[in-house]
Amino acid sequence: MDLMERVPVATQPPLDATDVVSWCQALRALGGPVPEDEAIEQVAALERLKSAAAAAQARVSATLWQARVARETDAGVPADQRGRGLADEIALARGEHPSRGSRHLGLARALVEELPCTLDHLATGTTSEWAATVMARETAVL
Protein backbone atom coordinates (compact mmCIF):
# COMPACT_ATOMS: atom_id res chain seq x y z
CA MET A 1 0.00 0.00 0.00
CA ASP A 2 1.49 3.38 -0.96
CA LEU A 3 1.35 6.61 1.01
CA MET A 4 -1.60 8.06 -0.97
CA GLU A 5 -3.72 5.06 0.08
CA ARG A 6 -2.68 5.34 3.74
CA VAL A 7 -3.79 8.96 4.23
CA PRO A 8 -7.59 9.24 4.18
CA VAL A 9 -8.71 12.42 2.45
CA ALA A 10 -11.91 12.79 4.47
CA THR A 11 -10.01 13.20 7.76
CA GLN A 12 -7.82 16.01 6.44
CA PRO A 13 -8.63 19.49 7.78
CA PRO A 14 -9.27 22.21 5.17
CA LEU A 15 -6.09 23.71 3.75
CA ASP A 16 -5.19 27.28 3.00
CA ALA A 17 -2.30 28.98 1.20
CA THR A 18 -0.25 29.14 4.41
CA ASP A 19 -0.29 25.34 4.66
CA VAL A 20 0.93 24.99 1.09
CA VAL A 21 3.73 27.51 1.66
CA SER A 22 4.87 25.51 4.71
CA TRP A 23 5.00 22.36 2.55
CA CYS A 24 7.17 24.19 0.04
CA GLN A 25 9.55 25.15 2.82
CA ALA A 26 9.63 21.57 4.13
CA LEU A 27 10.41 20.22 0.65
CA ARG A 28 13.59 22.30 0.53
CA ALA A 29 15.12 19.78 2.93
CA LEU A 30 14.87 16.91 0.43
CA GLY A 31 17.85 15.96 -1.69
CA GLY A 32 20.27 14.85 0.96
CA PRO A 33 21.93 11.46 1.00
CA VAL A 34 19.44 8.64 1.56
CA PRO A 35 19.40 4.98 0.51
CA GLU A 36 18.76 4.55 -3.20
CA ASP A 37 15.37 2.90 -2.74
CA GLU A 38 14.24 5.82 -0.57
CA ALA A 39 15.48 8.30 -3.17
CA ILE A 40 13.39 6.54 -5.84
CA GLU A 41 10.36 6.60 -3.51
CA GLN A 42 10.88 10.32 -2.93
CA VAL A 43 11.02 10.99 -6.68
CA ALA A 44 7.82 8.99 -7.23
CA ALA A 45 6.04 10.67 -4.32
CA LEU A 46 7.09 14.13 -5.52
CA GLU A 47 5.72 13.32 -8.98
CA ARG A 48 2.38 12.37 -7.43
CA LEU A 49 2.50 15.58 -5.42
CA LYS A 50 3.08 17.64 -8.59
CA SER A 51 0.04 16.00 -10.19
CA ALA A 52 -2.10 16.52 -7.09
CA ALA A 53 -1.04 20.17 -6.98
CA ALA A 54 -1.95 20.59 -10.66
CA ALA A 55 -5.39 19.10 -9.97
CA ALA A 56 -5.86 21.43 -7.00
CA GLN A 57 -4.84 24.43 -9.15
CA ALA A 58 -7.39 23.35 -11.75
CA ARG A 59 -10.19 23.05 -9.18
CA VAL A 60 -9.32 26.38 -7.56
CA SER A 61 -9.06 28.14 -10.94
CA ALA A 62 -12.37 26.73 -12.21
CA THR A 63 -14.13 27.64 -8.97
CA LEU A 64 -12.65 31.14 -9.15
CA TRP A 65 -13.94 31.43 -12.74
CA GLN A 66 -17.44 30.39 -11.67
CA ALA A 67 -17.45 32.82 -8.73
CA ARG A 68 -16.11 35.70 -10.84
CA VAL A 69 -18.68 35.16 -13.59
CA ALA A 70 -21.51 34.88 -11.04
CA ARG A 71 -20.43 38.07 -9.29
CA GLU A 72 -20.12 39.94 -12.58
CA THR A 73 -23.49 38.61 -13.75
CA ASP A 74 -25.08 39.95 -10.56
CA ALA A 75 -23.31 43.28 -11.14
CA GLY A 76 -24.77 43.54 -14.64
CA VAL A 77 -21.52 43.10 -16.55
CA PRO A 78 -22.29 42.24 -20.20
CA ALA A 79 -21.95 38.52 -20.95
CA ASP A 80 -19.06 38.98 -23.39
CA GLN A 81 -17.01 40.78 -20.72
CA ARG A 82 -17.55 38.46 -17.75
CA GLY A 83 -14.37 36.87 -16.49
CA ARG A 84 -12.22 39.18 -18.60
CA GLY A 85 -8.74 39.50 -17.15
CA LEU A 86 -8.99 36.44 -14.91
CA ALA A 87 -6.68 34.39 -17.12
CA ASP A 88 -4.03 37.10 -16.78
CA GLU A 89 -4.44 37.06 -13.00
CA ILE A 90 -4.01 33.27 -12.96
CA ALA A 91 -0.88 33.51 -15.10
CA LEU A 92 0.53 36.16 -12.77
CA ALA A 93 -0.25 34.01 -9.72
CA ARG A 94 1.54 31.09 -11.40
CA GLY A 95 4.53 33.27 -12.28
CA GLU A 96 3.99 32.80 -15.99
CA HIS A 97 3.55 35.04 -19.01
CA PRO A 98 -0.02 36.38 -19.36
CA SER A 99 -0.43 34.57 -22.67
CA ARG A 100 -0.31 31.23 -20.83
CA GLY A 101 -3.08 32.16 -18.43
CA SER A 102 -5.87 31.43 -20.87
CA ARG A 103 -4.42 27.96 -21.52
CA HIS A 104 -4.27 27.21 -17.80
CA LEU A 105 -7.79 28.49 -17.21
CA GLY A 106 -9.10 26.62 -20.25
CA LEU A 107 -7.52 23.39 -19.05
CA ALA A 108 -8.88 23.92 -15.55
CA ARG A 109 -12.41 24.46 -16.82
CA ALA A 110 -12.18 21.48 -19.19
CA LEU A 111 -10.97 19.16 -16.42
CA VAL A 112 -13.60 20.29 -13.92
CA GLU A 113 -16.56 20.64 -16.29
CA GLU A 114 -15.91 17.98 -18.93
CA LEU A 115 -13.20 15.55 -17.83
CA PRO A 116 -13.81 14.68 -14.16
CA CYS A 117 -12.21 11.23 -14.49
CA THR A 118 -9.04 12.78 -15.89
CA LEU A 119 -9.11 15.29 -13.02
CA ASP A 120 -9.44 12.41 -10.54
CA HIS A 121 -6.43 10.64 -12.09
CA LEU A 122 -4.46 13.88 -11.89
CA ALA A 123 -5.46 14.37 -8.25
CA THR A 124 -4.29 10.87 -7.29
CA GLY A 125 -1.06 11.15 -9.26
CA THR A 126 -1.87 8.38 -11.72
CA THR A 127 -1.48 10.84 -14.60
CA SER A 128 0.56 13.98 -15.15
CA GLU A 129 -0.50 17.53 -15.94
CA TRP A 130 0.98 17.09 -19.41
CA ALA A 131 -1.08 13.93 -20.02
CA ALA A 132 -4.22 15.71 -18.77
CA THR A 133 -3.46 18.60 -21.13
CA VAL A 134 -3.11 16.21 -24.05
CA MET A 135 -6.37 14.47 -23.08
CA ALA A 136 -8.21 17.80 -22.95
CA ARG A 137 -6.74 18.92 -26.26
CA GLU A 138 -7.50 15.67 -28.05
CA THR A 139 -11.07 15.40 -26.77
CA ALA A 140 -11.99 19.07 -27.26
CA VAL A 141 -13.44 18.40 -30.70
CA LEU A 142 -15.63 15.49 -29.59
Side-chain angles (χ1 to χ4, degrees):
M1 178 177 357
D2 74 15
L3 184 61
M4 294 291 283
E5 294 171 350
R6 287 184 275 164
V7 180
V9 175
T11 62
Q12 302 278 334
L15 301 174
D16 62 21
T18 305
D19 295 320
V20 177
V21 168
S22 70
W23 295 345
C24 293
Q25 291 170 344
L27 289 173
R28 293 174 68 188
L30 288 178
V34 295
E36 290 182 17
D37 60 337
E38 173 59 20
I40 293 297
E41 273 301 310
Q42 288 178 3
V43 169
L46 288 166
E47 196 61 32
R48 288 189 303 272
L49 179 61
K50 283 176 21 183
S51 294
Q57 276 185 324
R59 289 190 309 273
V60 169
S61 296
T63 301
L64 177 57
W65 166 262
Q66 293 166 348
R68 175 77 54 94
V69 168
R71 180 179 57 77
E72 291 178 349
T73 298
D74 292 345
V77 174
D80 65 337
Q81 295 184 14
R82 293 177 194 150
R84 182 174 280 180
L86 182 57
D88 292 343
E89 292 177 55
I90 289 171
L92 180 64
R94 290 180 64 135
E96 297 195 28
H97 192 276
S99 66
R100 295 194 41 103
S102 61
R103 283 185 247 164
H104 290 304
L105 182 56
L107 175 62
R109 293 185 62 208
L111 289 171
V112 169
E113 297 168 12
E114 301 166 11
L115 299 167
C117 290
T118 302
L119 181 61
D120 286 344
H121 281 281
L122 188 60
T124 60
T126 56
T127 195
S128 66
E129 186 175 23
W130 173 247
T133 301
V134 170
M135 176 69 80
R137 184 183 69 214
E138 296 300 320
T139 60
V141 297
L142 299 179

